[in-house]
Amino acid sequence: MYSNDQIQQQIASLKQQQEFQQRLLVEQFRQQQQQMAQEHEKQLQEHIKVQQVQEHIKMQQHLVMLQKQQEFLQEQQKLQERHRLEKERMEKERLEQLKNKTKNEESAVASSEVKLRLQEFVLTKKHREAAARNSPPFHNWVV
């Protein structure tokens, strides 16, 4: 059997092995922890880079959209200016044509009220003429 000294030596040897294994496990744990912290830092840096690239892309798209919008507005202003100038030119031509007309060429378009009064005048005149000749008055019958 084992003596008390041998048992004590075995216990001491086992304690040394246990402490060695414990230090080894603690060292491995620290290394893994450090490695994971480094990997986590890399992932964070990559994530930040991706976000920066996405923000840059969004800003570029926004700038392109603003530029297109500005170009569109400028084009609209040019079209409006052309339209305004064309209207002015046409109005000047119309006024010039009116100015250059001779008395024989002058014309006017009567309003519906003027046409109605003229028609009433003509009918009244025909009635008077018919009455003056002692004949039955002229009627404008609508069929």
Side-chain angles (χ1 to χ4, degrees):
M1 287 231 148
Y2 294 106
S3 69
N4 208 11
D5 285 340
Q6 286 177 334
I7 293 175
Q8 291 298 327
Q9 280 182 346
Q10 281 184 341
I11 290 175
S13 174
L14 287 173
K15 280 184 179 181
Q16 281 181 338
Q17 283 179 352
Q18 185 183 17
E19 286 174 11
F20 177 74
Q21 287 177 348
Q22 190 176 8
R23 280 190 298 244
L24 187 62
L25 285 173
V26 167
E27 184 60 31
Q28 287 176 346
F29 176 75
R30 284 184 189 155
Q31 286 177 354
Q32 286 179 348
Q33 190 177 23
Q34 186 179 6
Q35 187 179 9
M36 288 178 73
Q38 289 172 348
E39 286 179 20
H40 182 69
E41 183 67 24
K42 283 181 185 178
Q43 288 175 347
L44 283 175
Q45 292 298 328
E46 282 297 315
H47 182 70
I48 289 171
K49 284 180 185 177
V50 167
Q51 282 183 327
Q52 288 174 340
V53 167
Q54 287 174 342
E55 281 297 313
H56 182 72
I57 289 171
K58 284 180 184 177
M59 287 179 68
Q60 290 293 329
Q61 289 173 340
H62 187 67
L63 287 174
V64 167
M65 183 188 70
L66 287 175
Q67 187 177 16
K68 286 183 179 182
Q69 200 172 31
Q70 186 179 13
E71 289 171 0
F72 176 77
L73 290 174
Q74 288 173 345
E75 192 63 31
Q76 287 294 98
Q77 288 173 345
K78 287 178 185 177
L79 286 173
Q80 287 174 349
E81 182 65 14
R82 279 190 219 133
H83 182 68
R84 185 187 64 77
L85 291 173
E86 182 65 19
K87 281 176 79 173
E88 283 180 8
R89 185 188 63 75
M90 290 175 70
E91 183 63 17
K92 282 180 184 177
E93 283 180 11
R94 187 184 70 79
L95 290 174
E96 197 62 35
Q97 286 174 352
L98 285 176
K99 240 194 258 182
N100 294 335
K101 270 189 174 183
T102 64
K103 290 282 182 188
N104 295 337
E105 292 176 323
E106 289 182 17
S107 62
V109 177
S111 69
S112 56
E113 186 176 338
V114 170
K115 289 178 184 178
L116 183 64
R117 297 220 183 224
L118 183 60
Q119 189 178 24
E120 288 174 0
F121 174 79
V122 169
L123 285 175
T124 306
K125 187 175 178 184
K126 285 183 181 181
H127 284 288
R128 278 193 222 138
E129 288 174 357
R133 283 183 279 154
N134 290 330
S135 62
F138 174 77
H139 290 287
N140 188 11
W141 295 101
V142 178
V143 180

